[in-house]
Amino acid sequence: MKDEALLALASDLVGKAAAAIMAIKAAGFAVERKSDHSPVTEADRIAEALIVEGLRAATPDIPVIAEEEVAAGTAPRHAERFWLVDPLDGTREFAAGRDNFAVNIGLVEAGRAVLGAVALPASGEIFWGRVGLGAWKRDAGGTRAIRARTPPAEGVTVMGSHHYADDPRMGRFLEGRHVARVVNIGSAEKFCRLAEGTADLYPRFGRTMEWDTAAPQAVVEAAGGRVLVLETRAPLLYAKPGFENPGFVCEGLPG
């Protein structure tokens, strides 16, 4: 399957999963706890089943690694090329009644996130991109190409995690930078705002998993930005032991 068809597949599936999540949100749901004490809902499970079934039917040669399957111990091993799925990124936001949650489908090749689609169900936005081909956004206004921006003269807009809003590391990281504002929200939406050119910087100090970042990293890098390991400034890579990411920074175009 060619890249254009893979992009169409991923963007279609995140859209379908987003619709299912919003239907569950409207009907009401219970919140459970996984073994690591993180929350999980019916929306996580239904969205993941929809996505995984769609990917495996359309691309049977590409393994699918999905968050809830990993939690259940049934995910396949890493391969040279594989899908990474987070069916409901920002379950805590979703469970709390906030709107900053996302659906992520990313494709990894040789350790790099190269293609991704991200849906923001509450706003009806879908972002997708392939490194080397470009990035796009669809919302109520239609479909358009997007591009990361050079920081404006008034200063950078910084995205931060809602659950780490008081992290002292953010203040130290921003010392000496010309900052216009800091916006604290949950989920992969933070990456999307950099990809579309409405924000400039997103440092992440807390724990994340590969399925949290693969899809939005691909969109950001397809839009001209980059995602780097905080300590080394090397690209954030995939197929790591335990699927766990180090701290990273997502950047738009250089100033």
Side-chain angles (χ1 to χ4, degrees):
M1 188 177 288
K2 294 183 178 180
D3 286 336
E4 292 82 359
L6 292 171
L7 279 172
L9 172 66
S11 60
D12 177 63
L13 287 173
V14 294
K16 289 178 178 177
I21 288 167
M22 292 307 290
I24 293 167
K25 187 173 188 286
F29 56 90
V31 180
E32 304 167 32
R33 295 285 166 178
K34 294 188 282 192
S35 60
D36 64 356
H37 305 294
S38 62
V40 65
T41 70
E42 181 186 10
D44 296 81
R45 297 190 179 103
I46 288 177
E48 179 165 303
L50 186 158
I51 292 168
V52 169
E53 180 180 342
L55 291 175
R56 288 179 177 153
T59 58
D61 58 320
I62 305 177
V64 181
I65 295 174
E67 179 180 11
E68 302 312 324
E69 286 193 347
V70 171
T74 60
R77 295 179 178 273
H78 289 129
E80 180 72 8
R81 190 184 198 207
F82 61 95
W83 294 106
L84 270 172
V85 175
D86 190 342
L88 180 46
D89 177 36
T91 300
R92 285 184 293 185
E93 310 297 319
F94 177 76
R98 291 186 284 267
D99 288 338
N100 305 117
F101 50 90
V103 181
N104 300 332
I105 300 176
L107 182 66
V108 173
E109 294 179 351
R112 303 296 295 262
V114 297
L115 180 152
V118 179
L120 305 181
S123 64
E125 297 167 274
I126 298 179
F127 298 79
W128 66 96
R130 177 37 158 122
V131 177
L133 289 182
W136 297 266
K137 172 183 176 178
R138 182 168 67 244
D139 58 14
T143 299
R144 58 193 178 277
I146 56 174
R147 181 78 175 163
R149 72 180 183 184
T150 299
E154 59 266 27
V156 294
T157 293
V158 181
M159 306 302 294
S161 170
H162 178 266
H163 293 280
Y164 294 91
D166 299 321
D167 193 326
R169 291 173 290 185
M170 177 68 89
R172 293 194 293 269
F173 180 83
L174 295 178
E175 285 179 1
R177 300 177 189 267
H178 183 31
V179 177
R181 62 179 183 142
V182 178
V183 179
N184 291 295
I185 59 174
S187 85
E189 180 179 344
K190 298 183 285 293
F191 290 86
C192 295
R193 300 309 171 205
L194 271 82
E196 71 176 357
T198 58
D200 307 285
L201 194 63
Y202 164 37
R204 178 69 184 214
F205 311 102
R207 183 174 183 260
T208 60
M209 306 302 288
E210 291 188 354
W211 45 79
D212 297 320
T213 59
Q217 177 175 353
V219 173
V220 165
E221 295 187 346
R226 56 185 182 176
V227 181
L228 306 173
V229 176
L230 267 173
E231 290 188 359
T232 65
R233 300 289 293 179
L236 180 63
L237 300 178
Y238 291 82
K240 299 183 294 296
F243 303 100
E244 190 164 351
N245 290 322
F248 62 82
V249 58
C250 177
E251 302 174 337
L253 298 178

